[in-house]
Amino acid sequence: MNLFLLTQPDAFYIPKLLDQFIEEKPESTDVVGAAVLPGEIAVENVPDYLRLMGVRGTVLNGLDFVRHKALDVLDQAVRLDDVYSVRGALRDHDIPEHTPENVNDPAFPDFLREQNIDLVVSIACPQIVREELLECAPEGVINIHGALLPKYRGKLPSFWVLANGEEKTGVTVHYMNEDLDDGPIIVQKEVPIRPSDTLHSLVLRSKVQYGASALADAVQQIENGTVEMTDNPEEEATYFSFPTPDAIARFRDRGRRIR
């Protein structure tokens, strides 16, 4: 079965998820390409993240980002043991990278058909996927979301579960449709929230330790034709956007930190 990935640049989480997923996916499944689309790493998002992280968190994140960029350059030269960018993960596994401006441009689904893509996999795809793309691959389009859907649809679910004092969260792999984090559920795994968890530790643990295996499991079920779908009911859904000042204050009042 031929897979194609939709994702975005990242230094901290997506590279490790990709690397682990590619190691765990069925051997009979080939990742034949990936579209890396402009996403959260953008100058216009800096004020929002400064407000979320505060000065300390922003400085720590910035220093870690610079470190990852330097290690990624070094990795290109000497092949280190870890991955430090999405492009680095693709490079390590010999997966061709593509950079379409808009995945909903009719030329992109046509390209996927030419590549004989069976299944499209969204890993933090920053663009809404429309009908033609949703229907171009025989097995459809699936997405991995960092929460127990239908709860916590939307942005930064790991922040919101910490801000709201939840005791558990999870990861969900589901079929996509044109609505946000909607579509039947294929695999869902619970992730316990620890008293010591920061936003960074929770995202890292849920995406890599739980998310990669959940995604590999979903792909295996699709390939085997053994998917038993679970409802993702709209009437039970909760939605969250970028954290408000009140939510950030609540997050901090609970003793939570970004890192």
Side-chain angles (χ1 to χ4, degrees):
M1 184 166 70
N2 290 335
L3 267 61
F4 194 95
L5 307 176
L6 306 177
T7 189
Q8 62 175 294
D10 178 54
F12 306 129
Y13 313 114
I14 300 174
K16 296 181 186 301
L17 190 164
L18 281 173
D19 188 55
Q20 190 66 32
F21 165 66
I22 293 165
E23 293 294 332
E24 294 188 24
K25 70 173 180 58
E27 289 186 7
S28 53
T29 299
D30 293 321
V31 181
V32 300
V36 182
L37 307 158
E40 292 293 321
I41 301 176
V43 173
E44 59 265 27
N45 292 332
V46 170
D48 285 338
Y49 281 95
L50 181 60
R51 209 162 41 247
L52 170 63
M53 296 180 180
V55 174
R56 177 185 180 276
T58 301
V59 169
L60 289 176
N61 233 45
L63 291 173
D64 203 17
F65 182 77
V66 171
R67 183 178 71 88
H68 276 70
K69 293 288 284 185
L71 288 169
D72 188 49
V73 171
L74 185 60
D75 180 55
Q76 294 181 56
V78 297
R79 296 298 288 266
L80 301 174
D81 291 334
D82 206 347
V83 289
Y84 302 96
S85 72
V86 168
R87 291 185 171 95
L90 300 178
R91 184 173 62 240
D92 283 359
H93 294 281
D94 298 317
I95 297 171
E97 178 190 345
H98 305 270
T99 54
E101 289 186 8
N102 182 359
V103 295
N104 296 298
D105 186 306
F108 186 67
D110 287 344
F111 165 75
L112 295 183
R113 293 186 189 98
E114 291 170 2
Q115 299 295 307
N116 295 315
I117 301 302
D118 298 297
L119 177 68
V120 177
V121 178
S122 164
I123 301 175
C125 175
Q127 297 182 11
I128 296 172
V129 177
R130 299 301 185 191
E131 183 176 5
E132 185 174 2
L133 179 53
L134 289 168
E135 295 180 350
C136 79
E139 299 293 346
V141 183
I142 63 173
N143 176 59
I144 181 167
H145 182 70
L148 295 171
L149 293 176
K151 305 297 184 186
Y152 290 98
R153 295 183 182 185
K155 291 178 70 77
L156 296 177
S158 293
F159 167 87
W160 286 104
V161 296
L162 292 174
N164 291 341
E166 302 284 6
E167 296 181 353
K168 66 180 180 181
T169 182
V171 291
T172 303
V173 183
H174 64 100
Y175 284 109
M176 292 183 73
N177 58 34
E178 292 193 63
D179 294 326
L180 180 65
D181 298 325
D182 198 14
I185 294 167
I186 306 168
V187 173
Q188 196 165 67
K189 294 192 175 188
E190 289 189 358
V191 179
I193 296 175
R194 300 169 181 166
S196 60
D197 265 326
T198 63
L199 178 59
H200 176 72
S201 70
L202 183 58
V203 174
L204 189 63
R205 191 169 75 255
S206 60
K207 279 186 180 291
V208 180
Q209 182 179 342
Y210 291 85
S213 61
L215 193 55
D217 186 9
V219 169
Q220 182 73 75
Q221 290 183 36
I222 291 169
E223 185 172 39
N224 292 346
T226 57
V227 173
E228 294 184 4
M229 294 182 290
T230 304
D231 288 342
N232 183 3
E234 170 66 27
E235 61 272 17
E236 297 178 17
T238 56
Y239 292 87
F240 295 86
S241 58
F242 198 87
T244 60
D246 286 347
I248 295 169
R250 191 164 73 247
F251 175 88
R252 292 172 181 164
D253 287 346
R254 292 186 183 277
R256 297 299 185 178
R257 292 172 25 175
I258 299 300
R259 283 179 172 264

